[in-house]
Amino acid sequence: MDEIQNRFPSFEPELVQDIVKVAEIKVCNKDEYILRKGVYIRSMLIVFQGTVKILRSNGNRSFFFMHYIKSGEAVPLTMIYGNKQEASEVSAVAFEKTILLAIPLTCMDKWMVGYKSWYQFSFDTFRDRVRELLKTIDNIVFLNMNERLVYYLKTHEDLVQSKNIPLTRTQIAKDFHSSREVITRLLKQLATKGKIKMHKHYIEIVNL
């Protein structure tokens, strides 16, 4: 209980008690699926520890990276259905070892009315995800591939708080819905300019 209160200091103690009573703790390893497109959502998911990558897929094993959900944030799509069970429209994958709180869908409406902090948490979740969606649209519409790649690498630098980003060219190509050859060419251009260094299992940021 203390750990949940420390992670979510704005939550009322009564809300924390309710979370402890109903939440199921799920531990996901790196690259493990948390949600798959088309699979029914059966609980609200909050990231207690770790990071979740949200992907949009076309159903043919092709994916497009949308955004990350970090520790202390909720997976918004799992919150909007209330007590309805509907199929997920995105896929979610653990970027690293991640601990989730899985909360019954029926709690959403009850807590929205009963706890001001939950109402604010839900509002902030939806607002932040809309901002992320707008950033994604801006990147697609207004930036060329080179600029999108730089933004992507900077985002990961902030995410892992390190100059060494644990991403391979194949992983980046999947996130960009592009080919490994195209991503390799763009990375080599950045490396030639002294902005990054390429390694087998990670990319080192030098001066982006």
Side-chain angles (χ1 to χ4, degrees), residues 68-83:
Y68 284 108
I69 297 173
K70 295 174 286 187
S71 175
E73 298 177 343
V75 181
L77 195 64
T78 66
M79 301 180 72
I80 64 176
Y81 294 128
N83 58 6

Side-chain angles (χ1 to χ4, degrees), residues 43 59 77 189:
S43 58
L77 195 64
Q189 290 176 1

Side-chain angles (χ1 to χ4, degrees), residues 170-182:
T170 299
Q171 289 174 308
I172 297 173
K174 287 182 179 179
D175 283 353
F176 273 65
H177 192 43
S178 184
S179 69
R180 188 177 185 276
E181 291 73 21
V182 169

Side-chain angles (χ1 to χ4, degrees), residues 4 6 108 207:
I4 294 177
N6 291 336
M108 182 64 178
N207 182 23

Side-chain angles (χ1 to χ4, degrees), residues 66-132:
M66 295 181 65
H67 59 83
Y68 284 108
I69 297 173
K70 295 174 286 187
S71 175
E73 298 177 343
V75 181
L77 195 64
T78 66
M79 301 180 72
I80 64 176
Y81 294 128
N83 58 6
K84 299 178 182 178
Q85 291 186 0
E86 297 191 24
S88 176
E89 298 175 11
V90 298
S91 295
V93 179
F95 178 71
E96 57 190 340
K97 185 175 180 179
T98 298
I99 300 174
L100 299 163
L101 301 178
I103 298 171
L105 294 175
T106 51
C107 293
M108 182 64 178
D109 290 342
K110 180 171 63 175
W111 290 355
M112 285 287 281
V113 174
Y115 297 112
K116 184 177 180 180
S117 65
W118 181 258
Y119 175 88
Q120 189 63 49
F121 177 74
S122 301
F123 177 82
D124 290 344
T125 294
F126 300 141
R127 180 197 60 197
D128 292 344
R129 295 293 77 82
V130 168
R131 288 175 175 172
E132 291 288 349

Side-chain angles (χ1 to χ4, degrees), residues 157-181:
E157 181 183 6
D158 291 339
L159 182 69
V160 301
Q161 292 293 296
S162 172
K163 295 290 184 181
N164 297 328
I165 302 174
L167 290 171
T168 65
R169 283 164 280 184
T170 299
Q171 289 174 308
I172 297 173
K174 287 182 179 179
D175 283 353
F176 273 65
H177 192 43
S178 184
S179 69
R180 188 177 185 276
E181 291 73 21

Side-chain angles (χ1 to χ4, degrees), residues 6 12 14 29 31 47 51 72 87 99 136 165 183 185 189-190:
N6 291 336
E12 295 95 339
E14 295 80 8
N29 294 319
D31 296 329
V47 181
T51 309
I99 300 174
T136 300
I165 302 174
I183 296 301
R185 175 170 51 82
Q189 290 176 1
L190 292 175

Side-chain angles (χ1 to χ4, degrees), residues 15-16 18 40 61 63 71 93 98 104 112 114 142 145 150 161 166 168 179 204:
L15 173 57
V16 173
D18 278 354
Y40 281 93
R61 300 181 67 85
F63 297 93
S71 175
V93 179
T98 298
M112 285 287 281
F142 300 115
M145 247 337 228
V150 169
Q161 292 293 296
T168 65
S179 69
E204 180 183 350

